[in-house]
Amino acid sequence: MPTARQIVRKAAVRPEQVVDTLTLDHAARAKAHAHFHTAGGFCVDLALERAAGLEDGDALRLEDGRLVGVKAAEEALLEVRAGSPARLLRLAWQLGGSHVPAEVGADVLYVPASAAELVRGSGCSAEPVSRAFRPEKAAHDHSTCGHDHSHDHHHHTEKHDHGPAHDHAHDHSHDHGHDHSHDHKHGHDHDHRH
C-alpha cells in the first residue's frame, strides 16, 4: 500500500505529477493517520507527523514521488444569515465557545448541520445546503505549535529583603516565541512552573 508522509500545498502542486484524487470531508482532511481509497480504487496510507489540515487543491506526495490530489467533499451544512452583522457575530462567538467549526463569509456563516440547535436559538435564519466545508482554523491551534502552551503560573507575592542595592524586577510578558525558562540566583526559591 502506498504511503503518503508529505503534503504539497495547492500553489506547489504540479498537475502532471497527480496520478489520482481523494475526495475528503472536513474531518478526514484534518487527520494525520488514516487509510483512504482514491477515486482510482487504490488505498493510500496517510502517515503525517501531525495533523496539518488538508485543503481543497492540496496533494499528498507518495513515497515514489507521485501525487494524489485532494478535493473537499460536499457536506450537509447550514447556511446561516442574520438581519444584522452584530447578530451574526454573536452567533459566531457562541459557536466558537462551543468548539463548533464555522466557515465565515462577508454576511454568512456555514456550519455543520449538527449545529442546528445552537443556530435555532440565535435569531438567525438557516438554510440546509450541500457544499465543501472550509471552516476557519483555530486562532490558537496547538497542533501546529512547536512547544507546549500550558502555563501554570504560581508567582508568589511575598516580599524579599535583599538590601538597598538589589533590584528585584521581573518582566513576565509572554511572547510565545521564546521558552519560559527563568534563571533566578537570589538564594531563595521562586516557583515558576510552566
Side-chain angles (χ1 to χ4, degrees), residues 141-156:
D141 185 358
H142 293 285
S143 67
T144 60
C145 293
H147 62 282
D148 185 2
H149 279 282
S150 59
H151 299 297
D152 184 16
H153 295 285
H154 296 280
H155 297 290
H156 297 290

Side-chain angles (χ1 to χ4, degrees), residues 77-82 84-93 95 101-111 131-137:
L77 302 173
L78 295 175
E79 182 180 273
V80 183
R81 297 187 183 272
S84 73
R87 183 170 283 172
L88 200 61
L89 184 62
R90 190 175 300 117
L91 174 61
W93 182 80
L95 291 167
E103 181 178 340
V104 180
D107 59 353
V108 65
L109 295 175
Y110 292 98
V111 299
R131 65 187 294 277
F133 187 35
R134 299 176 186 92
E136 303 299 312
K137 287 184 170 40

Side-chain angles (χ1 to χ4, degrees), residues 1 12 20 31 39 41 53 64 67 75 130 140 167 181:
M1 174 187 319
D20 211 335
K31 293 184 177 183
D64 63 6
L67 300 181
E75 302 184 48
S130 183
H140 203 72
D167 181 10
S181 61

Side-chain angles (χ1 to χ4, degrees), residues 56-129:
D56 187 62
D58 288 348
L60 294 170
R61 186 183 304 281
L62 303 178
E63 291 169 313
D64 63 6
R66 295 178 300 160
L67 300 181
V68 174
V70 175
K71 294 185 182 223
E74 290 194 355
E75 302 184 48
L77 302 173
L78 295 175
E79 182 180 273
V80 183
R81 297 187 183 272
S84 73
R87 183 170 283 172
L88 200 61
L89 184 62
R90 190 175 300 117
L91 174 61
W93 182 80
Q94 291 169 343
L95 291 167
S98 298
H99 303 287
V100 175
E103 181 178 340
V104 180
D107 59 353
V108 65
L109 295 175
Y110 292 98
V111 299
S114 59
E117 190 77 22
L118 275 170
V119 174
R120 197 173 294 122
S122 70
C124 298
S125 65
E127 292 292 324
V129 295

